[in-house]
Amino acid sequence: MQQSSASITAERKHSHVEICLHREVRFDGAATGLEAYAFEHNAAPEINLEEIDLSTTFLGRRIGLPLMISSMTGGYGQALELNRILAGAAEKYSIPLGVGSMRQALEGTSHRDSFAIVRQAAPTAPVYANIGAPEVASGLTRDQIATMIGMIGADALIVHLNPAQELFQPEGNTAFRGFLDRLQAITASIQVPVIAKEVGSGISARVARRLADAGVSAIDVAGSGGISWQKVEECRYLSQFAHEDRFSPSALDELLNWGIPTADCLAAIRQLKYEHPAYAPLGVVASGGISNGIDIAKSIALGADLAASAQQLLKALHAGTLEKTIETWMNDLRAAMFLTGSATIEELKQAPIHKKH
Ligand SMILES: Cc1cc2nc3c(=O)[nH]c(=O)nc-3n(C[C@H](O)[C@H](O)[C@H](O)COP(=O)(O)O)c2cc1C
């Protein structure tokens, strides 16, 4: 029997969670570039630890700390429970949450509750809809966009750019031509801000500039150093077509690790904003391999407004330690702020940071 596109998409979303939880799919060496930076220690911080304020603003909304739960899932049975728990944490800490790609919910109506649950469990936190660049390039209708936004009462629409993932995905869609024009038409016509994100191969300053010109309000760099989506899709490819090599072995190694490290994306976009003040209002999210609160602090000092995490928070959820993990990251962040004399996130943005020798 032929499977519907909605059920193929649902199966894929399920296998992504399983692979990200149980297989070794991080970039070789797992280097985000953040490890190469160190803050200048401030021996006279002139603040009291308990005065430190972690709250900040993103896309015009006050949030409890500069952390977002990255877009992950929805569109199959067990996703409802995962999204309920993630949304509960987003509500508790007043932080933004992205749902996974809503393509499945446009292809069929089964499992729409696995997305809608997010707004029920997070009535006041910012929640963001999500769709892929190939769907944008092939032309989303106004109705489809309204369906996604309405399903979760979305505060923003995230469009993910994932050419390396689609390249490796057995059933991938590599038709990216026309994406930027279509994106521009969307940003010009919808009522909520649009965020453009990668999924782990990073966004260069050159591409950030084109995305900003197309009207996006923020860029989530999703750089290399965390999950390699090439590796995730290679696992799926090999389970279907064992031993059928697509690439030369030496090229495969390079392709599986293809991407711009998270810290390099941040530094380049900060430079772009500095050299061209017209881009200064562009929001910046640091993600790709964020694994503690010091990573969040360094990201902010390198120009991000907040950081975002997917795989580490998914693993914590699976281990039953999601809230404990977020609270530990808050302690890490507070520690970095104390030791740099930063009472607020705005002050942390100015904290001296340098590349280690
Ligand atoms: C299980 C899982 C599913 C994901 N699905 C999506 C998705 O549907 N849309 C999207 O934009 N990103 C998706 N991502 C990518 C993340 O949002 C993030 O950009 C990427 O994993 C890098 O962050 P990390 O290193 O903290 O995991 C997914 C990540 C995980 C772990």
Side-chain angles (χ1 to χ4, degrees):
M1 198 177 71
Q2 211 163 24
Q3 274 189 302
S4 70
S5 52
S7 75
I8 294 171
T9 307
E11 260 178 42
R12 181 173 56 246
K13 292 307 289 177
H14 188 187
S15 70
H16 283 164
V17 168
E18 292 303 309
I19 292 170
C20 290
L21 279 174
H22 303 298
R23 302 286 291 271
E24 186 35 72
V25 288
R26 289 171 77 81
F27 280 84
D28 295 354
T32 59
L34 294 170
E35 67 288 337
Y37 284 88
F39 280 108
E40 180 180 293
H41 173 58
N42 183 343
E46 282 295 328
I47 49 171
N48 300 339
L49 179 64
E50 66 273 15
E51 288 166 9
I52 289 173
D53 179 4
L54 300 186
S55 71
T56 186
T57 302
F58 184 60
L59 296 179
R61 292 280 300 275
R62 201 74 197 154
I63 56 174
L65 67 147
L67 175 67
M68 168 159 95
I69 303 176
S70 274
S71 311
M72 276 187 267
T73 203
Y76 68 98
Q78 287 134 283
L80 187 142
E81 186 57 10
L82 294 180
N83 272 343
R84 192 185 60 72
I85 298 172
L86 293 172
E91 184 71 12
K92 176 167 178 183
Y93 299 101
S94 283
I95 56 175
L97 162 79
V99 297
S101 169
M102 301 178 85
R103 175 175 161 185
Q104 193 277 341
L106 296 180
E107 292 169 339
T109 52
S110 58
H111 307 307
R112 282 191 175 177
D113 54 348
S114 68
F115 293 104
I117 185 71
V118 161
R119 191 40 101 196
Q120 291 157 28
T124 66
V127 301
Y128 303 151
N130 186 292
I131 197 69
E135 284 75 49
V136 169
S138 67
L140 285 174
T141 65
R142 269 169 194 271
D143 279 356
Q144 285 176 315
I145 295 172
T147 300
M148 290 191 289
I149 307 272
M151 204 179 305
I152 58 170
D155 299 286
L157 172 66
I158 294 179
V159 174
H160 65 263
L161 288 76
N162 60 344
Q165 179 185 10
E166 299 286 350
L167 182 69
F168 272 78
Q169 191 172 104
E171 68 282 23
N173 179 350
T174 45
F176 277 66
R177 186 182 292 283
F179 164 71
L180 285 169
D181 283 347
R182 287 257 157 82
L183 180 68
Q184 184 150 30
I186 292 176
T187 61
S189 63
I190 67 169
Q191 303 303 317
V192 295
V194 175
I195 303 167
K197 78 184 274 284
E198 239 284 352
V199 297
S201 291
I203 294 183
S204 64
R206 225 183 299 273
V207 171
R209 191 175 178 156
R210 282 192 222 126
L211 293 165
D213 291 344
V216 308
S217 301
I219 304 278
D220 178 345
V221 301
S224 69
I227 294 184
S228 157
W229 279 89
Q230 298 90 291
K231 289 192 180 181
V232 174
E233 298 296 353
E234 183 71 355
C235 288
R236 295 183 59 242
Y237 176 82
L238 290 177
S239 70
Q240 295 172 39
F241 308 101
H243 310 308
E244 278 186 42
D245 290 342
R246 295 182 283 184
F247 304 107
S248 352
S250 52
L252 179 65
D253 200 45
E254 193 156 345
L255 288 169
L256 290 172
N257 289 288
W258 185 282
I260 310 169
T262 300
D264 293 357
C265 298
L266 295 176
I269 294 174
R270 182 175 60 173
Q271 188 67 16
L272 168 75
K273 289 170 62 157
Y274 177 72
E275 284 172 6
H276 303 276
Y279 296 101
L282 185 66
V284 177
V285 183
S287 77
I290 298 295
S291 58
N292 59 47
I294 305 282
D295 282 348
I296 301 174
K298 287 180 181 176
S299 298
I300 287 166
L302 289 172
D305 297 298
L306 73 166
S309 164
Q311 193 194 24
Q312 296 301 314
L313 296 181
L314 178 68
K315 287 192 165 175
L317 184 163
H318 189 67
T321 56
L322 178 61
E323 294 189 0
K324 169 85 181 83
T325 300
I326 293 173
E327 282 168 24
T328 305
W329 289 12
M330 288 165 80
N331 284 340
D332 302 339
L333 174 59
R334 227 177 256 117
M337 290 174 72
F338 182 58
L339 297 176
T340 55
S342 313
T344 63
I345 299 298
E346 278 310 303
E347 289 180 22
L348 181 62
K349 287 184 180 179
Q350 308 305 324
I353 189 164
H354 56 83
K355 263 203 161 157
K356 295 181 202 166
H357 304 296

